[in-house]
Every structure is written in C-alpha cells, then in structure tokens.
Amino acid sequence: MTSLTEFFSRQEDDNLKGISHKNNLFKRNIIAHMAVNGECTLSELTKELHISVPTITKLVQELVQENIVSDLGKVETPGGRRPNVFGLASSAIYFAGVNIGRDNMSFLITDLHNNIVKEELLTDFELQDRPQCLEKICSNIAHFIDTCGVERAKILGVGVSVSGRVNPTTGRSYRYFTSSEQSLRDMIEQRIGIRVLLENDTRARCYAEYTNSKSKDEMDVLYLHLGRGLAIGIVMNGKLYYGKSGFAGEFGHIPFFDNEIICSCGKKGCLETEVSGIAIEQKFGRLISQGVNTILREKYNKHEAIHVDEIIDAAKHDDNLSIELIEEVGEKAGKAVAFLINTFNPETVIVGGELAEAGDYLMLPLKSATNKYSLNLVYKDTKFRLSKMGKTASAWGAAMLIRNQVLGLC
C-alpha cells in the first residue's frame, strides 16, 4: 500500500482489475467492519465479510504491519485453541472537525474510534459573506491542522459544518460564499490540501448527539436546535435524513403564525419569528422600552445589547420577565413539536442550542404543550431530553461524518 490518503481516496472502478485492487477493497472492508463492530477475530471477519481464511489472515497481517490494525492477543474461550483478537489502532488514522459559527470557530481532532484527542475554540472570529472571511476560515483551519500535534499525513479528512442550507453531495452552501463557481467544500479543500466534507451545523450536531448518547436500540430521533434561529436534525432508521438536496430540517421556516413579522428568509409568519433566540431578544427589548421591569434594565439604559444567554441567566436569578418570555417560547415550541412527533413518531426528541440552557424554564412548558396538542399514544411513545453535548458538538459530528465517508460507512 502507498499512503493512507491515496489508499482511502482511491475510487472504486469497475474497469480496474487484478489481485492488488481486490485486496485493497478487502482491506477497506476490514477497516470499516472494525470501525462499526469493534474488536474481532479472524474467523469472525471471514464469516461477516465472506472472505477466505488465508486471504483474511494475509490482509490483516499486512494491516498490522502498516500500524492500522493492532493484534490484541489471545481471547479466552471455553475450550480449544484460543484465537487472536484484532482491533483498529487509534493512532493510525485521524479526522478533523470544524464548525464555522457566527462569532467563533471550533476545531477538534478525532481518532478512528471517534474519541476527541485535541480541541480548540477560536473566539476572535466573525462570520461574514466576504472573500476575506473565507480566506481567514481556510487559514484558521490550515493553522489548526499544522499545530494540532498529529502528523498531517494521518489526517484523512476534514468535516466542516456551517449554518444555513447545505448540500453535502455537491459541497455547496446556499447562504455563504455563493458567488464563486466552485463549491465552498472545493474551495476549502483546495486551500488546505485535505479531503473535505461540508455539512449543515444542526445536522452535524444531531449526528453527534445521536451517536454518542443513543440507547442500544434507538433508531428514530429528532433533534430540535433552539439557538438564535430554529432548525431540526432528523435520524430515521439509524441514518441522517437529508431530503432530495440536503435541505431537510428547515423547521423554523414553516408558516406557523399569523403575524406580520418578517423572517430572515424574507417571508412572514415563520415559526422562527416567535420561537428563537432572536425573537426573545427582540421582544425583551420592546417590553423594556414599554416600562416592564427587569434586572437587566440598567444594561438596557446604557444602550448595551442584551443577548439571549443574558436573558437565560436573568431567568435563573428569578427575573420574572425573562422567565415569562422563555416559558412562552417553550409553549409555542411544544405546539410545533406536537406536529413533528405526530408526523414522525420518533423514539426521542433531543432539545439543544442556547435556549436549552434554560433547562426546566423551557422544557416544562414545551412538554406540557406537546402533550396537549399531540396524539396521546404518540406522546406516551416519545422520550424527551436536553442535549448532553458541549459547544464542539457540531465539529464532532462533522468529524464523524467525514470518517464515515472516508471509510465507506455511508
């Protein structure tokens, strides 16, 4: 085998013949099987992959010599000859994950087992739809790759997540850097010299949530992201649901209210106009200006911007206005979630994003409204929980998704 990058980037071509090509495909299947199922014996690989014992033995030994697979020694058995157990070497292959946020960038490196081995958060950043910003994004990613402590040749892919409509197949963002004929994925890939996957940030976070905290048999999950905007990630039958062009999950833009509030999408009455961090901030400002009392009035009087995280903190300090606004959003969100669970009948609804930091102030009215407006059987069939992931969840999910793509798991 040549380099790891060439080995995993080599496209399967029906015109290619020969034992060498066939063995390379077998090796990729062995690695993919271990990535999904963990440690295994040669006989288990033979049975699952339908490859002869001599061939499996030869190929696994080659992977051991290439430091991709580790021989973990003998396994205990009830009797007879004890077989050797093999598993992926964590230090053989790595992947990077990057999330491009509104006012920050998060970076991390994962090993073959999806363990985070390095992570960083860059706060000196502002996302703007300008060529200078794209150059800064690329240089920040390149700098992290060069300084992360992992040999560049071992990093086989970079998953990049960003907000807005994204088509992972074409690598295009339909919100940022759209003026070029090249896709955003291709521009970043050309700049950093490593294979890139572009993904929507909510969907990436949904995958991280699902992969890291699912129960054994959980297959259908909805992830509700309540940040400055509103979106959902959908897992159906254990796989992310994308729709035809990768735009599935724009739940914040369903026509839900009969109001005259213009949404960021240009339409009126979207769910996001009253159920989002931006909606809370705007209503909070209007009510203060009308004389409603709050512990944040001094900040308002200084003409300082009041952000949703400060409103959540005020609620935790018993500020009535903050509590009322968060509970109002929770109730409206719950009515919308009732529509979702009646439609999808998921096993679990996970609530994440900045507003999830409000805890019970959000979740109690959300669940109460969902119970009120959904079918009783469906509601009883659905579990609810808050996100357990940190701020790097989208980057982590992006790293997992590029891993799946490189290893042929999707």
Side-chain angles (χ1 to χ4, degrees):
M1 187 174 71
T2 54
S3 72
L4 285 172
T5 304
E6 292 173 344
F7 176 64
F8 282 101
S9 65
R10 185 180 294 120
Q11 299 296 314
E12 294 184 22
D13 189 337
D14 291 337
N15 295 321
L16 291 175
K17 304 292 182 181
I19 295 176
S20 177
H21 172 65
K22 189 175 182 180
N23 285 345
N24 279 335
L25 295 181
F26 284 159
K27 283 184 180 181
R28 291 170 67 171
N29 290 339
I30 291 169
I31 294 168
H33 179 82
M34 289 183 176
V36 173
N37 300 286
E39 301 166 4
C40 53
T41 63
L42 296 179
S43 61
E44 289 169 342
L45 285 172
T46 298
K47 180 180 178 181
E48 294 296 326
L49 301 180
H50 307 290
I51 304 172
S52 69
V53 173
T55 301
I56 280 288
T57 304
K58 174 179 177 293
L59 296 179
V60 169
Q61 197 55 47
E62 288 179 4
L63 288 170
V64 170
Q65 293 170 358
E66 291 157 359
N67 296 316
I68 297 175
V69 168
S70 295
D71 184 342
L72 304 175
K74 304 288 185 182
V75 63
E76 293 295 333
T77 59
R81 186 176 179 181
R82 295 187 300 164
N84 283 46
V85 177
F86 297 88
L88 294 177
S90 297
S91 61
I93 296 172
Y94 295 89
F95 302 93
V98 178
N99 181 60
I100 305 170
R102 181 175 56 90
D103 56 7
N104 67 77
M105 289 184 69
S106 55
F107 311 84
L108 52 79
I109 299 290
T110 61
D111 62 19
L112 267 172
H113 300 291
N114 286 329
N115 299 310
I116 297 176
V117 297
K118 172 79 172 181
E119 58 184 324
E120 287 184 11
L121 179 65
L122 177 66
T123 56
D124 181 23
F125 175 79
E126 181 181 357
L127 179 56
Q128 298 176 329
D129 192 14
R130 301 169 59 186
Q132 296 91 331
C133 183
L134 176 58
E135 172 57 30
K136 186 169 186 180
I137 288 169
C138 293
S139 62
N140 286 343
I141 296 173
H143 177 74
F144 175 73
I145 295 295
D146 292 337
T147 60
C148 68
V150 174
E151 186 181 343
R152 172 180 272 265
K154 290 185 176 183
I155 300 175
L156 300 192
V158 180
V160 179
S161 63
V162 66
S163 64
R165 284 166 284 284
V166 171
N167 186 330
T169 302
T170 63
R172 289 197 172 275
S173 165
Y174 290 84
R175 182 174 180 179
Y176 297 106
F177 315 115
T178 59
S179 59
S180 173
E181 291 185 3
Q182 273 189 304
S183 68
L184 178 56
R185 176 197 64 199
D186 290 348
M187 288 188 284
I188 297 174
E189 190 172 284
Q190 184 177 2
R191 177 68 168 75
I192 68 175
I194 300 176
R195 180 174 176 175
V196 170
L197 168 72
L198 189 70
E199 182 58 274
N200 168 266
D201 59 345
T202 298
R203 200 156 44 222
R205 186 178 183 106
C206 172
Y207 191 71
E209 291 276 2
Y210 172 71
T211 304
N212 286 288
S213 55
K214 69 175 180 178
S215 64
K216 186 176 181 181
D217 299 320
E218 203 170 66
M219 297 296 285
D220 299 287
V221 171
L222 292 177
Y223 170 69
L224 178 69
H225 190 79
L226 286 164
R228 289 186 61 77
L230 169 64
I232 62 170
I234 307 166
V235 175
M236 297 178 66
N237 197 29
K239 295 184 178 181
L240 283 175
Y241 179 74
Y242 286 87
K244 177 179 179 293
S245 301
F247 304 151
E250 293 291 342
F251 189 57
H253 298 292
I254 65 169
F256 201 80
F257 299 109
D258 185 17
N259 62 32
E260 293 298 310
I261 304 174
I262 298 176
C263 181
S264 60
C265 70
K267 302 185 184 299
K268 295 179 181 179
C270 291
L271 178 62
E272 192 172 289
T273 60
E274 295 189 31
V275 182
S276 64
I278 292 177
I280 286 183
E281 291 172 358
Q282 292 174 342
K283 189 166 186 178
F284 194 89
R286 288 197 303 271
L287 291 174
I288 294 181
S289 69
Q290 294 168 12
V292 178
N293 195 29
T294 171
I295 61 176
L296 294 174
R297 173 163 291 282
E298 183 178 349
K299 187 177 179 69
Y300 173 82
N301 290 338
K302 293 179 181 178
H303 305 288
E304 297 178 7
I306 298 175
H307 299 295
V308 67
D309 57 335
E310 296 170 306
I311 296 172
I312 291 171
D313 185 64
K316 293 178 179 178
H317 287 84
D318 300 323
D319 181 66
N320 286 333
L321 176 58
S322 301
I323 292 171
E324 289 171 6
L325 290 184
I326 293 170
E327 288 180 341
E328 181 182 334
V329 164
E331 183 179 358
K332 292 174 179 177
K335 188 175 182 179
V337 170
F339 165 78
L340 285 175
I341 68 170
N342 282 346
T343 304
F344 291 101
N345 186 208
E347 293 159 88
T348 304
V349 173
I350 305 170
V351 180
E354 290 174 282
L355 286 176
E357 296 295 324
D360 284 345
Y361 289 124
L362 177 77
M363 290 299 291
L364 291 178
L366 186 152
K367 291 172 67 176
S368 177
T370 304
N371 184 22
K372 179 179 179 181
Y373 291 105
S374 65
L375 296 172
N376 187 47
L377 283 174
V378 178
Y379 180 77
K380 289 183 176 180
D381 212 24
T382 308
K383 295 176 290 185
F384 290 79
R385 66 172 175 80
L386 286 169
S387 167
K388 299 177 182 178
M389 306 291 290
K391 292 184 178 180
T392 59
S394 291
W396 199 359
M400 293 178 188
L401 290 168
I402 184 64
R403 167 187 177 270
N404 291 353
Q405 187 184 86
V406 169
L407 297 181
L409 300 176
C410 56

